[in-house]
Amino acid sequence: MKIVNVVGARPNFMKIAPIMDAYKAFNDIETLLVHTGQHYDEKMSRLFFNELGIPEPDIYLEVGSASHAVQTAEIMKAFEPVVLDHKPDAVLVVGDVNSTIACGLVAVKLDVKLAHVEAGLRSFDRSMPEEINRVLTDSISELLFCTEQSGVDNLIHEGIPEDKIFLVGNVMIDTLQKNLEKAQRSDILDHLRLNNTDFAVLTLHRPSNVDDPSTFNRIVDALKIIQKNIPIVFPIHPRTHKNLSNNGLVERINELPNLQVIEPLGYLDFLKLMSSARIVLTDSGGIQEETTILKVPCLTLRENTERPITLEIGSNQIVGTDPDKIIEGFEQAMAGPSRNLEIPPLWDGRAAERIVRILKDKL
Ligand code: UD1
């Protein structure tokens, strides 16, 4: 059995790592790893391969950044010959980035079965590029692996036959559990002079937050107040960095003495930082899940989440981008959890194992 596995952007790497590992238990599964090159900076890509022990990609498509249409089309053009040459039994894609839908579409057009890891998540906000990628990828997948029950329910509601849907847990949490101890040895807190200090971590990269200067400015209004209470560390995504400069926001950020903007971090340093933080502010999807496991309060700077389980039983709170709401959420979270925080079902470090066993049975 041959399976072609696809990664492209930073959040894909921690998802594929445990799956590549789990394949090793089966010597009759041949695997190929394809990196589309959607993310290519050392700090957005290579570092993660090294730290997470992901095998060197067998094929690197070197697609790089472009508009959505151009990027998606270039990935499709580059990926089609790979599928034609290698004739896999299945293509496995993870997450919701442009590489996910681009390679998924190539696979099904060549009559190759598609497996989607992290299927069924829905923000119900079609203005998010990821939501379009999620809905489309799920609609053409043969095997759909879900992280939480809401994903299963959404897929059934969309008419996907139940026998294609598997609730397996969360591969991102497999990676977190495997690396947490190692991450504790990171010296990032010393490096940022944060030892023995309460601090907040901030990440922002969603187009709806960072491409629109008025929204970005409103978030900075809230940060201006919050950084008076607690130092904030802000590892900055390249997209956000570019927009700060383009929108004349650099001066406003520089005026905040307690907000420390730093380069994107590798997995282990970021995990150490996040697990030691008093609070996390983010618009990322994965970080909402990771803080749930770490039991660190998380304020999600968006109007919705496709990961509702993090709200139901985790430490996540949706606060949107209105400065008053962000500050109110901050004050509430700093006052302590209002309930016992639980771990979502099957987020136990064994999701990848389950996925590979199902692939073996079903293909
Ligand atoms: C992509 C995903 C998003 C995911 C995010 C994680 C899509 C539609 N979006 O968004 O779901 O949460 O990755 O990071 O697939 N850039 C660099 N170096 C890089 C990569 C990007 O400088 O290695 C810059 C480029 O200017 C590029 C911009 O970042 O134009 C955006 O990159 P892109 O891959 O288009 O989308 P992300 O915002 O990273």
Side-chain angles (χ1 to χ4, degrees), residues 146-322:
C146 298
T147 52
E148 58 170 89
Q149 185 60 37
S150 79
V152 176
D153 299 343
N154 293 332
L155 293 172
I156 290 173
H157 187 244
E158 288 171 22
I160 309 270
E162 265 181 69
D163 60 352
K164 294 183 174 184
I165 307 171
F166 304 89
L167 181 62
V168 290
N170 194 327
V171 283
M172 196 160 214
I173 302 307
D174 291 7
T175 297
L176 185 150
Q177 293 196 344
K178 186 168 174 208
N179 289 283
L180 192 53
E181 211 183 294
K182 210 197 279 175
Q184 293 313 325
R185 296 198 286 274
S186 147
D187 61 0
I188 188 69
L189 300 187
D190 289 336
H191 190 70
L192 298 172
R193 300 180 198 288
L194 287 169
N195 259 327
N196 308 317
T197 316
D198 264 356
F199 63 91
V201 174
L202 168 71
T203 82
L204 286 174
H205 74 281
R206 294 265 160 238
S208 58
N209 282 341
V210 302
D211 291 5
D212 173 4
S214 71
T215 308
F216 207 160
N217 257 303
R218 289 192 309 157
I219 295 175
V220 177
D221 288 342
L223 297 175
K224 195 172 165 181
I225 310 280
I226 292 173
Q227 57 96 45
K228 288 185 183 154
N229 294 276
I230 191 167
I232 305 175
V233 185
F234 183 15
I236 198 163
H237 186 286
R239 164 188 215 103
T240 312
H241 194 241
K242 212 158 89 184
N243 285 330
L244 276 181
S245 318
N246 292 347
N247 297 331
L249 274 157
V250 176
E251 294 75 21
R252 279 205 75 197
I253 294 276
N254 284 345
E255 276 167 14
L256 308 180
N258 246 346
L259 176 76
Q260 195 177 169
V261 178
I262 60 172
E263 295 258 301
L265 293 175
Y267 185 79
L268 297 171
D269 284 344
F270 189 72
L271 183 51
K272 169 76 175 185
L273 191 69
M274 184 167 51
S275 64
S276 315
R278 178 70 185 80
I279 186 165
V280 172
L281 296 89
T282 191
D283 59 10
S284 149
I287 292 175
Q288 297 170 49
E289 300 182 331
E290 290 165 338
T291 48
T292 290
I293 294 292
L294 298 169
K295 301 186 192 282
V296 174
C298 175
L299 301 184
T300 296
L301 307 179
R302 288 170 44 189
E303 304 301 337
N304 50 53
T305 179
E306 58 288 325
R307 291 155 159 98
I309 199 151
T310 62
L311 300 175
E312 286 155 29
I313 72 168
S315 47
N316 189 21
Q317 237 193 100
I318 296 283
V319 293
T321 55
D322 176 70

Side-chain angles (χ1 to χ4, degrees), residues 11 38-41 65 68 97-98 130 205 237-239 242:
Q38 179 174 344
H39 284 175
Y40 43 86
D41 282 356
S65 302
H68 282 266
V97 302
N98 286 345
E130 295 81 5
H205 74 281
H237 186 286
R239 164 188 215 103
K242 212 158 89 184

Side-chain angles (χ1 to χ4, degrees), residues 4-8 32-40 57-65 71-83 85-86 99 102-103 106:
V4 168
N5 303 273
V6 176
V7 288
L32 209 76
L33 181 60
V34 176
H35 188 328
T36 64
Q38 179 174 344
H39 284 175
Y40 43 86
D58 299 285
I59 299 170
Y60 192 69
L61 304 179
E62 290 184 72
V63 167
S65 302
Q71 187 177 61
T72 308
E74 291 299 331
I75 296 169
M76 289 183 70
K77 276 162 66 183
F79 188 60
E80 186 178 51
V82 174
V83 180
D85 280 359
H86 291 274
S99 301
C103 295
V106 167

